[in-house]
Amino acid sequence: MPRKTRMLAPAAALAVAAVLAAPISPATGAAVTPPARTAADPAFDFTKPTVAATNLTVPWGLAFLPDGSALISERNSARILQMKPGSAPVEVAKLTGVTPTGEGGLLGIAVSPTYEQDGYVYAYYTAASDNRIVRFKLAASPQQQVIFSGIPKNSYHDGGRIHFGPDGKLYAGTGDAGRTAHSQDRNSPAGKILRMNPDGSAPADNPIAGSVVYTLGHRNVQGLAWGPGGVMYNVELGNNRWDEVNHIEAGDNYGWPNVEGTGGEPTYHDPLAVWSTREASPSGGAVAGDTLYAAALGGRRLWTVPLDGKGGAAGAPTAVLQGTYGRLRTVAVGPDGWLWVMTSNRDGRGQPAATDDRILRFPRVTP
C-alpha cells in the first residue's frame, strides 16, 4: 500500500556540508523548521570510548548471544569471532562457500531469538552464484543449512544486513546487484527488504501471498532497526545524490530507481531523512530510545537522527565522531546498554590505523 510519507523530507542542496538540507513540506513546498530537541534519551558519552576489539580484518556483522558476548563476522575471511566481555575475540566458526568479491562476502549475522533452545546463528553471504542466507550452530566447521538463496549478486550492491524483528521473523536487506530494474520487480528478491520465518518460508501475513518480499524500491539496504512500539526503520545507500533513512511499512514502495531521496509522489514512500552521499554512505543502524544512530562509511562519522516514535523525525540530525575513527560499518546497542561501533578501514577504501579494524563501546550518560 504505497503512499507519500507524512514525515519531514529535506530538499536538494548538495552544497550542504555537515548537516541535512533544510526540510521542505511535500504538500506546500515551504520550508519546515524541525522541532528542537536538547538531548537524546538515552544519551551516550562519545568522549569516553572503550576499545573492545582491535586488529579485526574487515568486520561486517555484529550480533549478541544470550550470555552478553558478541559475534562478529569478517567479510573476506568468512570467520565468525566471539568476543566475551573483557576478552579478545576468538574464532568460533568458519563458513564454507563464501566468495568474497568487491562488497560481497560474509556479511550480516543474527542470533535466533530462541537460541537457548535451538542454538541457531544466521548469516547472509555471497556465494559463487548468488547471495544466500544460512543457519548453523557454532562449530569449527559448522553444518550450514541454506534457508533462502537466489538473491542476485554482484561486486557491489549486495545488501547483507539481517535481523530478527520483535515479531520473531527474520528480516533481510538486499541490494539491486547493479541492475536497477530488480528493485521494482516484485518477483525478484533484489532491492528489497525480505521477511521470512526462521526456516526461510514466507509468513502467512506478508504483503504478497507466498512471497518473502516485505517492501520494494530499495537500492542497497545496509541497516535495519526497530524503535519503541515495534516501529521499523532502514538506512540505505543512494546513488549520486541522497542516502536515506526510511520508516518501513509492510508492502510500501520506496521508489528506487524512479526516485532517489524525496520525490513527493503518492506512489512512493518518502524518506524521513536524507544526506548527500559524500556525508554519509550509511551502513548499519540502531535505535536507542528516541534516537536512530547510523554509521557512515564515506562520511566517516556517526549520524544521530531524533525520532518522534511514530515513524517520523523529531528534529534535525547531527553528526558525532566526525573523522575520529574513519569509516564506520556497524552500530548496535549491546545488552550492556552501551553503544557499539565497528570500523571498516581495512576494506580497501579506508586509511587504517595500526590497530584497525576496531570495535568501540560508548557508555550511557548518567543523570
Side-chain angles (χ1 to χ4, degrees), residues 167 169-170 195-198 200-212:
D167 57 2
K169 307 301 183 184
L170 181 65
R195 177 178 183 259
M196 62 191 72
N197 294 314
S201 62
D205 59 347
N206 266 10
I208 304 172
S211 172
V212 298

Side-chain angles (χ1 to χ4, degrees), residues 47-69:
T47 69
K48 297 179 179 178
T50 295
V51 179
T54 59
N55 299 304
L56 302 174
T57 305
V58 197
W60 210 99
L62 178 65
F64 297 95
L65 293 171
D67 66 0
S69 63

Side-chain angles (χ1 to χ4, degrees), residues 62-120:
L62 178 65
F64 297 95
L65 293 171
D67 66 0
S69 63
L71 294 180
I72 304 155
S73 64
E74 289 188 329
R75 188 181 71 184
N76 296 349
S77 70
R79 298 193 307 163
I80 293 178
L81 311 176
Q82 182 179 9
M83 186 178 69
K84 297 181 179 180
S87 302
V90 296
E91 182 179 326
V92 290
K94 186 170 184 177
L95 301 191
T96 58
V98 178
T99 305
T101 303
E103 296 173 0
L106 176 56
L107 303 175
I109 54 173
V111 172
S112 168
T114 54
Y115 180 85
E116 292 175 311
Q117 287 74 48
D118 58 41
Y120 279 130

